Amino acid sequence: MALAIQTREIQYSAEDGTTLIGYFAAPQSDTPVAAVLVAPEWWGRNDYTEQRARELAEHGYAAFAIDMYGDKKTTTVATQANAWMTETFADPDTIVTRASAALKTLAAQPEVNADKLAAVGFCYGGKVVLDLARSGAPLQAVVTFHGTLTPKAPAQMGQVQAEILVLHGELDSMVTLDDVAAFKAEMYAAKVEHEVIVFADAKHGFSNPLADERAKANGVDLGYNANAEQQGLAAMYALLNRRLASDVA
């Protein structure tokens, strides 16, 4: 049974001066609960990202759908999404700077137990949460759905605090199986606890029901896969429940 939740927008600032607007969702609770950062696909902090935050709240977690572009900008046009995403690559510190500001903002909310934090990312958001973990952020768990795996800088031994779960589509042409192998090698070298699940017949964007529509409109190789989505969500919640269990209703 889904829990009753509350939602609100929260404006915050990154050290690079960008004004960001996140979407916060949390269960109605008398005590602070574990919390999950939700990093968006390259489309920006849109309805899909907010939906995932609400679902997490209904499962007993506070959740914060974060803004990586500023002023909660969103688009459905791939060329615009790519341009905004690429802007965050121009300075190698931008992604971690903005994600760290979001994590600090999430941890400061009165509904949140700041000792129990995790992060989930979709597509571009996968890179966001992995780079945040690589930076040594105080995360218990990190999950990526069809995420970009290439690091800002490879993980260093003793730096990553999170257990990492990567959910990947076998037919993903944007993040290849060679990229997955390189990621595994990086994690093994840094002795990071991790698991990679590869879903058969799943493309990039497999978790988003709008992936086929976006693929057709933009001429990009995306595809929704309901089985992969549901299996991925089950694996995500299993990890979150195990790592953050004491705070979940």
Side-chain angles (χ1 to χ4, degrees):
M1 181 177 175
L3 300 176
I5 67 171
Q6 55 183 315
T7 65
R8 62 178 179 270
E9 286 193 330
I10 301 173
Q11 182 173 305
Y12 57 106
S13 298
E15 288 185 3
D16 63 7
T18 307
T19 298
L20 305 159
I21 304 172
Y23 177 87
F24 180 79
Q28 301 283 0
S29 175
D30 295 330
T31 58
V33 299
V36 183
L37 204 72
V38 183
E41 298 173 295
W42 67 346
W43 311 113
R45 199 215 85 189
N46 57 13
D47 291 345
Y48 175 74
T49 322
E50 294 171 11
Q51 170 200 329
R52 294 304 186 194
R54 288 192 297 272
E55 290 170 359
L56 282 158
E58 290 169 353
H59 279 77
Y61 301 99
F64 194 39
I66 68 173
D67 177 10
M68 289 298 295
Y69 299 150
D71 298 324
K72 63 176 181 180
K73 292 185 297 193
T74 65
T75 185
T76 59
V77 179
T79 51
Q80 179 64 79
N82 186 64
W84 286 341
M85 180 182 72
T86 302
E87 286 176 9
T88 69
F89 296 157
D91 183 325
D93 293 328
T94 295
I95 285 177
V96 170
T97 294
R98 293 182 184 178
S100 296
L103 187 64
K104 183 177 179 180
T105 300
L106 173 61
Q109 301 310 305
E111 297 92 342
V112 169
N113 177 349
D115 293 326
K116 292 290 184 75
L117 302 174
V120 175
F122 300 83
C123 180
Y124 162 67
K127 176 175 174 59
V128 171
V129 297
L130 287 174
D131 279 350
L132 184 61
R134 290 173 175 120
S135 76
L139 297 167
Q140 299 292 314
V142 164
V143 183
T144 73
F145 288 78
H146 40 89
T148 302
L149 305 176
T150 308
K152 167 196 168 186
Q156 300 300 306
M157 195 176 302
Q159 195 159 8
V160 177
Q161 300 181 43
E163 180 178 344
I164 295 175
L165 171 63
V166 166
L167 304 166
H168 183 75
E170 179 187 28
L171 303 182
D172 192 326
S173 63
M174 298 184 183
V175 182
T176 67
L177 292 175
D178 286 343
D179 295 327
V180 173
F183 172 78
K184 288 181 178 180
E186 177 197 354
M187 294 296 106
Y188 282 122
K191 299 190 183 307
V192 176
E193 188 173 3
H194 69 283
E195 180 182 9
V196 176
I197 301 176
V198 177
F199 298 114
D201 301 320
K203 290 186 173 185
H204 197 79
F206 65 78
S207 74
N208 191 334
L210 295 177
D212 296 304
E213 176 184 316
R214 298 279 168 82
K216 184 177 180 180
N218 291 279
V220 291
D221 191 20
L222 306 173
Y224 174 59
N225 185 305
N227 287 335
E229 176 199 22
Q230 292 307 313
Q231 291 176 47
L233 289 171
M236 176 192 78
Y237 281 113
L239 175 61
L240 294 179
N241 290 345
R242 180 161 51 80
R243 295 301 300 253
L244 308 174
S246 62
D247 288 311
V248 179

